[in-house]
């Protein structure tokens, strides 16, 4: 699957254009805490069978993996948001390969995030919008919107903003 655009703007513009709902995939990054991703940004969801060492990687990079001939960093989103690695956190069982574009029209690039075995999909509507959570200073930098689901705020990730943090 090859998305034309890695931003979540298409999901939000569908809502803004009068669509009643838009689809989102939920990624649980910490027990009971989720982020949403537009389905077109998700390239693969696979079992984590082994990681390659990533020397000098930042604290939130748990290693790297080879996917379709490309070496991708594998990030722990929870560690990134907390600003430190959680050594007591259970190891991820799966990874989620996401696509992004550094600038519109550029070639797609890929990244991997630690993920659980299941990625539920839900329908999101404009009336579900809520403020971003206040538990990380990074939310305004990586999320384009937020909605309430089952009583919790769920930030909608912009994959380009997230993946380009390493260059910031």
């Amino acid at each position: 699957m090859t998305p034309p655009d890695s931003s979540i703007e298409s999901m939000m513009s569908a809502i803004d254009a009068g669509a009643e709902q838009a689809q989102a995939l939920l990624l649980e990054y910490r027990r009971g805490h989720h982020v949403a991703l537009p389905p077109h940004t998700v390239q693969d969801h696979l079992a984590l069978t082994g990681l390659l060492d990533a020397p000098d990687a930042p604290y939130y990079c748990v290693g790297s993996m080879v996917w379709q001939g490309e070496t991708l960093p594998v990030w722990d989103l929870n560690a990134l948001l907390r600003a430190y690695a959680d050594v007591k956190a259970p190891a991820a069982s799966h990874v989620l390969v996401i696509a992004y574009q550094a600038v519109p029209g550029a070639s797609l690039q890929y990244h991997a995030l630690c993920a659980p075995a299941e990625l539920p999909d839900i329908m999101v509507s404009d009336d579900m919008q809520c403020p971003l959570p206040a538990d990380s200073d990074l939310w305004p930098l990586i999320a384009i919107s937020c909605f309430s689901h089952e009583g919790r705020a769920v930030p909608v990730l912009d994959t380009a903003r997230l993946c380009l943090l390493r260059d910031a």
Side-chain angles (χ1 to χ4, degrees):
M1 111 176 84
T2 304
D5 176 2
S6 68
S7 75
I8 58 89
E9 292 171 1
S10 62
M11 181 177 91
M12 298 314 290
S13 64
I15 293 172
D16 293 341
E20 299 217 2
Q21 296 183 327
Q23 185 180 10
L25 294 176
L26 292 181
L27 168 64
E28 186 175 41
Y29 64 91
R30 181 171 70 223
R31 187 173 200 83
H33 296 266
H34 296 83
V35 293
L37 291 156
H40 72 272
T41 64
V42 176
Q43 300 299 294
D44 210 346
H45 180 230
L46 55 145
L48 181 59
T49 56
L51 289 172
L52 305 171
D53 285 337
D56 302 321
Y59 64 92
Y60 50 84
C61 183
V62 298
S64 60
M65 62 177 269
V66 177
W67 179 78
Q68 296 187 359
E70 210 173 314
T71 301
L72 307 179
V74 179
W75 284 6
D76 177 347
L77 187 58
N78 185 43
L80 175 67
L81 293 168
R82 293 166 55 118
Y84 62 90
D86 184 356
V87 293
K88 294 181 182 179
S93 62
H94 287 68
V95 292
L96 186 66
V97 177
I98 56 174
Y100 69 99
Q101 290 175 305
V103 295
S107 297
L108 290 176
Q109 296 178 320
Y110 305 97
H111 218 79
L113 298 173
C114 295
E118 293 186 29
L119 290 175
D121 63 343
I122 64 167
M123 298 305 288
V124 180
S125 61
D126 207 23
D127 63 344
M128 297 167 70
Q129 188 171 2
C130 71
L132 289 169
D135 61 351
S136 176
D137 292 340
L138 292 179
W139 289 128
L141 301 175
I142 64 174
I144 196 164
S145 186
C146 191
F147 61 88
S148 180
H149 177 67
E150 296 180 352
R152 290 195 182 256
V154 178
V156 179
L157 291 184
D158 181 317
T159 57
R161 289 182 189 180
L162 172 66
C163 296
L164 293 173
L165 278 178
R166 69 173 188 257
D167 297 332

